[in-house]
Amino acid sequence: MTERAVALIVLAAGQGSRMQSELPKVLHRLGGTALLAHALAAGRSLDPALVVVVAGHGADAVTSAVARLDPQAQVALQSEQLGTGHAVAQALPLLDGFDGRVVVLYGDTPFIAPETLAALAAHPADVVVLGFRAADPGRYGRLVADGDTLDRIVEYKDADEATRAITLCNSGVMAVDAGLLRDLVGQLSNDNAAGEYYLTDVVALARAQGRSAAVVTCDEAETLGINTRAELAAAEAAFQSRKRAEALENGVTMADPATVWFALDTHVGRDAIIGQNVVFGPGVTIESGAEILPFCHLEGCHVSAGATVGPFARLRPGAELGGDAHVGNFVEIKNAVLAEGVKVGHLTYLGDAEVGERSNIGAGTVTCNYDGVGKHRTVIGADAFIGSDTMLVAPVSVGARAMTGSGSVITRDVPDGALALGRARQVTKPGLAVRIMQALRAAKGRA
């Protein structure tokens, strides 16, 4: 069969009242990013030609999140939440001219595997629904099927006892050819117990036209939807367990895997070593052979092969560490590039900076990058030596092989090979410290 183009519709309009939150449900975080990001990432594995997210509750916030997470995606507004069929109807105008396969996903269902979606999109049936065998079917809609041939979907509210006894349940995810989807959605009725337009009714409508409908099944865990804070916490635990297992399987060493926390897009290379109590925020890449020591927090950064970080270090967005660089305890790096072999041992802040190869940054060094209005850059050349407790007042540069004296405040550029000192001359007054302490104690005794 010729491979068909795919479009995604991601339903993300619900309020999620059981979350007890003003934040739209799909923007609550799992693995360091919004639930919606997981659905978009799974859908992107299909290489879709078009992506439409349907927003409703908190539409402005959802629209802003979509712009960050997937700038190519479009947003359709469902101003009234009248059911899943109504939500899809709002998205269809943005798919005008598209005649491939439409896959409908849910923004609060984060764990569907790319392989499952591929099987769903590639199935030859006119309508394909993703189902699962539930250990406790509860209030899920039931799939009435003979083998993988699907007859209809019955919502729990509308099901009789015999139908409720079925354990094959509806995930809500489905794939339908675009032209057929437009036709079937246009026929939906809200004549049901909830007074809503159910997307699930397209199966019966398709069968009534003599169209084929089928079920693709997956493990129940893939279909987990998030409706409460407790479910979100359980999903986080499941996500972290999966990511830790993947890291170990891929050749990453972790001294205590249960204390390492991953984000959705964390990439850790083979033979990397991760210590205890390390937290990865979004956007982190750790190359093979790098080591992250205990109690570090990393976000939006890149650590090259052979580099070491920590313990107790923080890498913020824009931090780039070259090969064999070292960032030690209580060091913070933000929007800064450290070239190969740079050493930043301890108690230092480097922000909006560029540090050349093999340079050494002494303890207590600070790039003073913010003037209260704007940020400014500090550039340090190769093989420079920055003395302890140096304040580099940006914009400023320190040349290759240059040095700064400990305790200096550097406000002007330092040429290559130069020594810069920027501190007050020391004055020593013999015996004065003793006399001052005696006077203070005497005053305290009189008080």
Side-chain angles (χ1 to χ4, degrees):
M1 182 181 65
T2 302
E3 186 174 331
R4 289 167 289 183
V6 172
L8 298 180
I9 296 176
V10 183
L11 304 187
Q15 180 176 0
S17 58
R18 293 168 62 194
M19 296 293 286
Q20 298 296 320
S21 175
E22 295 301 316
L23 187 69
K25 179 170 65 170
V26 297
L27 299 187
H28 284 266
R29 290 189 176 186
L30 173 70
T33 191
L35 286 170
L36 178 59
H38 293 254
L40 288 170
R44 277 294 178 192
S45 68
L46 298 174
D47 191 23
L50 294 167
V51 178
V52 178
V53 176
V54 181
H57 176 72
D60 289 345
V62 172
T63 299
S64 296
V66 170
R68 293 192 306 272
L69 297 168
D70 191 342
Q72 284 73 49
Q74 302 178 77
V75 177
L77 180 63
Q78 186 187 22
S79 55
E80 294 182 90
Q81 276 69 69
L82 301 178
T84 52
H86 179 259
V88 169
Q90 312 315 300
L92 288 176
L94 295 178
L95 299 183
D96 280 351
F98 177 79
D99 62 358
R101 193 74 143 167
V102 178
V103 176
V104 180
L105 300 175
Y106 291 78
D108 62 354
T109 305
F111 291 145
I112 295 176
E115 298 80 9
T116 298
L117 290 182
L120 191 79
H123 198 286
D126 296 316
V127 179
V128 188
V129 173
L130 182 62
F132 62 97
R133 294 283 178 185
D136 178 12
R139 302 184 67 83
Y140 288 114
R142 304 304 203 266
L143 301 183
V144 181
D146 181 9
D148 69 349
T149 300
L150 180 61
D151 182 63
R152 65 189 185 280
I153 304 175
V154 182
E155 296 294 333
Y156 179 86
K157 296 174 184 177
D158 303 311
D160 56 26
E161 289 304 314
T163 304
R164 290 179 180 181
I166 295 172
T167 59
L168 183 60
C169 296
N170 176 37
S171 72
V173 175
M174 66 172 60
V176 188
D177 286 343
L180 179 60
L181 183 63
R182 294 185 186 96
D183 176 40
L184 298 176
V185 167
Q187 299 179 49
L188 291 175
S189 165
N190 65 348
D191 184 17
N192 51 58
E196 294 185 349
Y197 296 91
Y198 292 146
L199 182 61
T200 51
D201 287 346
V202 302
V203 173
L205 291 171
R207 293 304 302 270
Q209 294 182 11
R211 300 281 194 152
S212 59
V215 179
V216 168
T217 58
C218 66
D219 188 86
E220 183 177 3
E222 290 188 43
T223 68
L224 176 69
I226 310 300
N227 296 296
T228 67
R229 303 277 186 162
E231 290 175 354
L232 182 63
E236 185 71 55
F239 172 83
Q240 295 299 335
S241 178
R242 180 183 304 175
K243 293 292 283 187
R244 292 162 187 156
E246 288 177 0
L248 292 169
E249 182 68 22
N250 291 335
V252 177
T253 296
M254 292 187 285
D256 187 0
T259 66
V260 177
W261 289 74
F262 292 90
L264 173 63
D265 60 354
T266 305
H267 176 79
V268 183
R270 181 179 179 182
D271 289 325
I273 300 173
I274 311 298
Q276 300 91 326
N277 297 289
V278 171
V279 176
F280 294 112
V284 175
T285 296
I286 309 297
E287 289 190 8
S288 299
E291 181 172 8
I292 313 300
L293 281 76
F295 295 98
C296 291
H297 187 283
L298 299 86
E299 180 178 358
C301 62
H302 185 113
V303 179
S304 296
T308 59
V309 179
F312 297 99
R314 184 181 183 196
L315 302 187
R316 293 171 59 193
E320 300 276 346
L321 273 58
D324 298 316
H326 170 64
V327 169
N329 51 294
F330 304 107
V331 172
E332 181 175 340
I333 311 290
K334 189 273 300 180
N335 193 29
V337 178
L338 277 58
E340 183 174 356
V342 169
K343 301 293 186 288
V344 190
H346 35 213
L347 300 165
T348 290
Y349 171 72
L350 298 179
D352 298 290
E354 182 178 333
V355 184
E357 293 88 345
R358 298 172 300 279
S359 289
N360 186 89
I361 311 298
T365 296
V366 174
T367 56
C368 307
N369 57 326
Y370 183 52
D371 62 9
V373 177
K375 299 291 182 72
H376 305 280
R377 289 193 69 77
T378 297
V379 178
I380 299 170
D383 299 299
F385 185 93
I386 306 301
S388 295
D389 199 31
T390 295
M391 302 290 110
L392 297 160
V393 183
V396 70
S397 64
V398 177
R401 303 176 305 283
M403 299 178 66
T404 67
S406 296
S408 292
V409 178
I410 305 300
T411 59
R412 291 182 294 179
D413 291 349
V414 181
D416 291 353
L419 168 65
L421 297 171
R423 59 193 182 205
R425 182 179 297 277
Q426 179 175 315
V427 177
T428 303
K429 296 182 180 287
L432 183 58
V434 174
R435 295 195 297 274
I436 289 173
M437 292 303 296
Q438 289 173 341
L440 290 173
R441 291 187 182 105
K444 182 177 180 180
R446 292 192 299 269

